[in-house]
Amino acid sequence: MGLQLRITFNDTDYAYQIINSKLIDQNTTELELMLEGEKIGLQKDNSKGWIQKDGDNSIDPELIQALGRSVSLRLRM
């Protein structure tokens, strides 16, 4: 795992880490993150947005979108 990253969403700060960032390239459609100590999976859907993998809806879908965009911008996906 790499450096701990931060994102502010709806006036709340979240800390996350990208798991296996070396395996991510421009064609990556799935990500694994550690968000506040919880491992979550993100998957790019057909409309190029991000959704939570495995249909688990425990996290706000807009936060998932923000995390996916943040990682995409940082790693130039």
Side-chain angles (χ1 to χ4, degrees), residues 8-63:
T8 301
F9 178 76
N10 285 344
D11 297 325
T12 304
D13 290 328
Y14 296 93
Y16 70 95
Q17 289 179 313
I18 304 168
I19 300 173
N20 292 332
S21 63
K22 293 180 182 178
L23 300 176
I24 297 173
D25 63 14
Q26 294 173 340
N27 300 317
T28 301
T29 59
E30 294 184 3
L31 301 171
E32 285 191 351
L33 305 176
M34 286 292 277
L35 177 65
E36 302 289 322
E38 179 184 346
K39 186 175 178 180
I40 62 168
L42 277 66
Q43 186 172 5
K44 196 178 278 192
D45 66 3
N46 295 337
S47 64
K48 302 290 184 183
W50 292 94
I51 57 173
Q52 193 168 354
K53 192 174 172 183
D54 299 328
D56 185 18
N57 295 326
S58 62
I59 300 175
D60 182 358
E62 292 181 9
L63 175 57

